[in-house]
Amino acid sequence: MRRCIISLGKVLAVAAAMCALFIIATPSMAHAGCKDFEGAAQADVEDPKVKRVVEVWRGVFAPFYGMTGRDTGLVVLSAEATKTTKDGAKPFRPTAHICPGAPPVVYVTWPLVDLVFGEKKESYPEAFLAFVLAHELGHRINDLDAEGGLLGKAERASAGTGFGVEEMADKRAAFLAAAAGYSMRTLA
């Protein structure tokens, strides 16, 4: 089983049709919660659902990279991935999370993948996943410096705007997902 971080910034710079796969390390204590994500089992990049996540990622990453030129990795965690709590190992909830590093990495949990690409009739639309991934890229724009380090509160894009950190990331997400061709109306 091949496991790796998918970094598409370099892919877009070299050739849009190629996928650069490589392993990178990020500081495990750089951001709250990142240690759990970084140490968790990764999904097989050949899994059809992972391939669909990568397709959505490519869509929202393209306008992000075009605007910023900043590389950002993507990791999809396996269905067996767990995080450590004081009560023992627990499965991850449906979520995505960006962790600082060089480059920063967006982690996507399997329960989120299942919500969108699962077999249930009440699955979420693909546009939902696009928005979630774009939201994390919004944090990349707003909260991390060009090298992937966490900015201080006064340096963040939301400072002095009256908007919270999450609201600013949502605004960027709506733009990036729409630029990728996803309708945000389907989420209303």
Side-chain angles (χ1 to χ4, degrees), residues 13 16 19 27 38-39 47 51 63 86 89 131 148 151 161 164-165 168 183:
C19 178
E38 291 166 355
D47 184 290
K51 288 182 177 187
K86 63 181 177 179
F131 182 86
L151 294 171
T161 65
V165 172
M168 284 295 287
S183 172

Side-chain angles (χ1 to χ4, degrees), residues 32-111:
C34 288
K35 185 176 181 181
D36 286 329
F37 289 103
E38 291 166 355
Q42 297 177 19
D44 183 349
V45 296
E46 297 301 322
D47 184 290
K49 289 181 183 178
V50 173
K51 288 182 177 187
R52 290 182 71 189
V53 172
V54 171
E55 287 176 31
V56 175
W57 173 258
R58 284 181 175 159
V60 298
F61 188 78
F64 163 82
Y65 190 77
M67 288 176 10
T68 68
R70 295 178 178 180
D71 200 13
T72 305
L74 173 71
V75 171
V76 179
L77 300 182
S78 76
E80 295 79 29
T82 59
K83 62 181 177 177
T84 305
T85 69
K86 63 181 177 179
D87 299 324
K90 301 277 184 185
F92 284 97
R93 295 185 311 196
T95 192
H97 187 79
I98 191 163
C99 291
V105 176
V106 173
Y107 291 90
V108 178
T109 64
W110 197 259

